Amino acid sequence: MDDVARRVARETKAMTRKEVIVKAMAGRLSWIAAADILGVSARHMRRLRARYERYGYQGVVDGRAGTPRRKRLRPRVIAELCRLRQERYADFSIRHFWEQATEKHGLTLSYTWTRLVLQAAGLAPKAAARGKYRRRRERRPLVGMLLHLDASRHTWLPGVPQQDLVVALDDADSRILYARFWPEEGTASTFAALAHVLEHFGRFAELYTDRGSHFCYTPRAGGGPAADVQTQVQRALHALGIRLILARSPEARGRSERAFGTIQGRLPQELRVAGITDYAAANTYLTTTFVPDFNRRFTERPAQAESAFVRLRGVDLRLLLSAHHPRIVANDSTVRFGPLVLQLPPTRGRVHYVRCPVLVHEFPDDTLGISYQGHLLARFDRAGALLEVPRPRTRAA
């Protein structure tokens, strides 16, 4: 046995006979080195190699090469599977890789065979031992009863600063209703997600989130949320009649945590294969490709076919789903907001709004607005420049 074979033997001393043979079949080990590791003669290894070339994987593993087998992988399938794994899909999960190999590259084999071959060839890790028994919480029977809203900061694009992927997920069927990259999760990202769901699907019953500072105010670390302090998100949800449920631990949000595990194991690899290098293109890919494919593969059938979503009418979501800051209009028709002085323009409906209580709105698109009694008077950019003067409301005849 030469030095190379001895080193390989030490590294693979815990491998089974099948694993050694599959490594030789995949070209990661010479057949002579495999013979040395298994402790068989070169002549017998030539027999095994001949069986492999003639009958494929089953002929090598179980020794019944002369019997026709219904389930048999051809040598070229194993070689192509290992080549694709090593050269193009090394960072894909096993199931994700199997989907690509069968759908895009035309390989015909089951997921189980793919997993066994990759694990035997050392191209995929074996599953970890199972933990203790835990009972899974039952899903809500109807869509629209409970939504999970969570975010995950991850290296989605290599060489680019990390961002948060904000996802809204229906508890009944695990369907993604909203997904978008944000520089940082917060009130603005929450309002944008809520606005999308409310506009496209309708009002839902409950929202399940973590205890982020934009969801609740916690005066003491490790303590419960303050009942007498209302955040901007809590104020908006209360106005909409949506109950906010705050999780106590990541384990309590198991459904959304598992979904993010799947997303983290698929999305970065798909973005790489698609050649996407910035978050603007990544958001487009989310909407047009990834979310529809995710929902097609992983959506569950809810217990009941009806929907708990309720269409909203007569609600200005743009004003409601924004951060509210009460102010009083000064004598010169200006409103102070931090260092900015926002000048109200003249309107046809009223001469002025001096000394009127108004609300300054921080919209999710990083613009500002001023409203009076539920009507938007003007919209500004972050520098205080006027962007929009909405038309005055017309009274019904």
Side-chain angles (χ1 to χ4, degrees):
M1 183 186 299
D2 57 13
D3 293 339
V4 176
R6 288 191 182 93
R7 180 175 56 82
V8 174
R10 287 195 301 269
E11 295 175 353
T12 58
K13 62 181 180 180
M15 291 194 305
T16 65
R17 174 187 172 94
K18 179 179 69 174
E19 291 172 339
V20 174
I21 293 175
V22 172
K23 284 183 183 290
M25 293 163 57
R28 304 188 68 201
L29 208 64
S30 70
W31 288 96
I32 297 299
D36 290 336
I37 294 170
L38 295 178
V40 300
S41 65
R43 181 178 181 182
H44 183 62
M45 184 53 68
R46 285 195 294 271
R47 293 195 194 101
L48 293 178
R49 182 175 182 178
R51 290 181 187 176
Y52 158 64
E53 293 174 348
R54 183 176 181 184
Y55 299 106
Y57 180 75
Q58 289 294 335
V60 174
V61 173
D62 57 25
R64 293 173 288 178
T67 305
R69 306 292 294 169
R70 291 182 60 190
K71 297 181 179 179
R72 185 172 68 191
L73 287 181
R74 297 182 179 275
R76 63 174 184 83
V77 175
I78 296 178
E80 180 66 9
L81 192 72
C82 294
R83 186 191 67 80
L84 289 174
R85 178 67 173 182
Q86 290 175 297
E87 296 179 2
R88 189 168 184 182
Y89 299 101
D91 54 348
F92 277 45
S93 67
I94 300 178
R95 181 168 291 277
H96 199 186
F97 168 65
W98 170 72
E99 293 169 358
Q100 302 296 313
T102 55
E103 295 178 5
K104 292 187 177 181
H105 298 277
L107 297 185
T108 305
L109 74 167
S110 67
Y111 164 75
T112 301
W113 270 113
T114 302
R115 176 175 58 82
L116 292 176
V117 169
L118 293 181
Q119 289 176 344
L123 299 176
K126 295 185 178 180
R130 293 181 179 271
K132 64 180 182 179
Y133 171 80
R134 297 180 185 271
R135 182 179 180 84
R136 178 177 294 188
R137 179 183 57 80
E138 294 294 331
R139 295 177 180 270
R140 294 292 196 271
L142 299 177
V143 296
M145 292 186 67
L146 175 67
L147 262 62
H148 300 265
L149 183 60
D150 203 355
S152 174
R153 182 166 286 263
H154 186 68
T155 307
W156 305 105
L157 297 172
V160 180
Q162 292 184 348
Q163 289 198 6
D164 287 335
L165 176 61
V166 179
V167 172
L169 189 80
D170 196 295
D171 182 76
D173 59 1
S174 292
R175 181 176 49 150
I176 293 179
L177 306 183
Y178 173 87
R180 185 174 178 81
F181 289 109
W182 286 80
E184 187 173 1
E185 177 195 15
T187 301
S189 66
T190 300
F191 281 151
L194 292 175
H196 178 87
V197 173
L198 293 169
E199 290 173 358
H200 291 82
F201 302 96
R203 189 184 69 85
F204 49 95
E206 297 174 319
L207 182 66
Y208 199 61
T209 69
D210 59 20
R211 297 195 174 200
S213 59
H214 50 289
F215 292 121
C216 64
Y217 172 67
T218 305
R220 187 178 61 183
D228 57 341
V229 179
Q230 192 177 60
T231 65
Q232 297 285 351
V233 174
Q234 287 175 320
R235 183 261 314 157
L237 293 176
H238 180 75
L240 290 165
I242 298 174
R243 180 191 174 203
L244 177 62
I245 303 175
L246 300 172
R248 294 184 177 272
S249 66
E251 291 78 14
R253 306 192 311 274
R255 192 147 291 137
S256 62
E257 291 290 326
R258 287 188 294 273
F260 270 118
T262 303
I263 294 171
Q264 290 178 1
R266 289 170 170 259
L267 182 56
Q269 294 82 354
E270 292 194 18
L271 294 176
R272 176 182 60 78
V273 172
I276 294 175
T277 58
D278 62 89
Y279 283 109
N283 278 325
T284 302
Y285 184 85
L286 276 173
T287 304
T288 59
T289 305
F290 184 81
V291 170
D293 183 68
F294 182 96
N295 289 339
R296 177 177 64 87
R297 296 183 186 279
F298 299 108
T299 297
E300 303 283 344
R301 177 174 295 180
Q304 300 179 28
E306 293 81 6
S307 173
F309 284 110
V310 177
R311 290 291 179 183
L312 287 176
R313 297 182 183 276
V315 178
D316 192 339
L317 291 177
R318 182 171 62 166
L319 293 182
L320 180 61
L321 298 177
S322 60
H324 291 184
H325 305 278
R327 295 290 189 274
I328 300 296
V329 180
N331 291 337
D332 55 355
S333 296
T334 60
V335 177
R336 289 193 172 271
F337 183 68
L340 299 179
V341 178
L342 305 176
Q343 179 71 60
L344 283 174
T347 61
R348 295 181 180 179
R350 184 166 174 156
V351 176
H352 63 78
Y353 292 89
V354 172
R355 298 182 183 178
C356 289
V358 296
L359 288 176
V360 175
H361 300 264
E362 288 186 280
F363 296 117
D365 61 357
D366 204 31
T367 60
L368 302 174
I370 299 178
S371 71
Y372 176 68
Q373 294 182 350
H375 175 62
L376 184 64
L377 301 180
R379 193 166 63 88
F380 307 84
D381 63 18
R382 277 291 177 173
L386 184 64
L387 295 177
E388 175 189 2
V389 180
R391 293 182 180 180
R393 289 178 294 186
T394 57
R395 296 181 179 179

